[in-house]
Amino acid sequence: MLDRLDTKYIDLLLLHQQFGDYLGAWKDMEKAVKAGKVRSIGISNFESERLEELCEAANIKPSVLQVECHPYYPQNALKKRLAPYGTVIESWYPLGHGDKGLINEAVFTKLAKKYGKTNVQIILRWHIQQGNIIFPKTTNPQHMKDNFDIFDFSLTADEMKEIAKLDNGRRFFNMSLEDQEKNLGAWSPAD
Ligand SMILES: NC(=O)c1ccc[n+]([C@@H]2O[C@H](COP(=O)([O-])OP(=O)(O)OC[C@H]3O[C@@H](n4cnc5c(N)ncnc54)[C@H](OP(=O)(O)O)[C@@H]3O)[C@@H](O)[C@H]2O)c1
């Protein structure tokens, strides 16, 4: 990986899926940390009991768990499971994969007007105040600038509570674990 990336070390390396020899893979990733080749290691898409299995077996606990997380699916239960390991959520689909229905929710439009921000900036600020790490994807340079410009205002506790009411259990990526394992290599949620 270092050769391919033409770099001396990797900041954060993730184990993408909870399939195959994931415990063996984690051990190898721990070795890479000890060798100074990787600074932090984390996991992605571990939401079954394999999450606890890996965390209990790990000498180095995952620094992050990268999973789908946005105001419709804030991952509150998963956060409680992660607390004992000090692992934090890194949200994929932080904007619901750009879903217009989510972005245009009335509460975001109202708060955008109040703070002089865009609806997307309100959602990203919500993530930060929830303690989530975010990496929204954009190919638009102005959006990229906007997405960094969320550190000069704060949502109030009442506003956070109002946004919490959007939690409706809706996920934008829906594939059963069985199908994910069966089609491994042939798909990626990032598609
Ligand atoms: N670990 C995993 O299994 C996994 C699974 C899925 C996704 N991911 C990763 O998660 C990251 C995010 O996923 P995603 O791109 O699908 O979803 P996303 O970040 O929730 O949404 C991206 C969409 O939001 C729009 N957007 C971004 N910033 C905006 C702004 N300031 N104003 C208006 N629109 C804005 C983008 O359009 P524009 O380009 O027009 O700005 C794009 O359509 C990606 O890097 C992806 O690879 C990881």
Side-chain angles (χ1 to χ4, degrees), residues 16-17 44-45 66 92-98 103 120 135-140 143 146-147 189-190:
H16 191 203
Q17 297 291 346
S44 184
N45 300 310
Q66 194 183 102
W92 60 252
Y93 285 6
L95 302 170
H97 200 41
I103 292 173
V120 162
F135 59 114
K137 183 175 169 187
T138 179
T139 50
N140 175 320
H143 289 171
D146 290 348
N147 293 351

Side-chain angles (χ1 to χ4, degrees), residues 8 18 33 51 69-70 82 100 117 131 140 155 160:
K8 290 194 170 53
Q18 53 177 356
V33 173
L51 169 63
C69 180
H70 42 70
L82 291 177
K100 293 280 177 282
K117 295 286 177 186
N140 175 320
L155 301 168
M160 290 295 285

Side-chain angles (χ1 to χ4, degrees), residues 87-157:
T87 304
V88 295
I89 295 272
E90 188 175 44
S91 309
W92 60 252
Y93 285 6
L95 302 170
H97 200 41
D99 182 73
K100 293 280 177 282
L102 173 66
I103 292 173
N104 293 323
E105 283 285 354
V107 61
F108 300 134
T109 305
K110 181 182 83 175
L111 295 172
K113 210 167 172 188
K114 173 179 171 187
Y115 290 107
K117 295 286 177 186
T118 66
N119 288 33
V120 162
Q121 287 172 312
I122 300 295
I123 298 176
L124 297 180
R125 182 69 209 181
W126 169 86
H127 276 284
I128 296 294
Q129 289 185 218
Q130 285 280 98
N132 303 334
I133 295 169
I134 39 171
F135 59 114
K137 183 175 169 187
T138 179
T139 50
N140 175 320
Q142 184 56 48
H143 289 171
M144 217 174 281
K145 279 191 195 136
D146 290 348
N147 293 351
F148 280 111
D149 184 20
I150 56 170
F151 298 102
D152 59 353
F153 75 106
S154 296
L155 301 168
T156 67

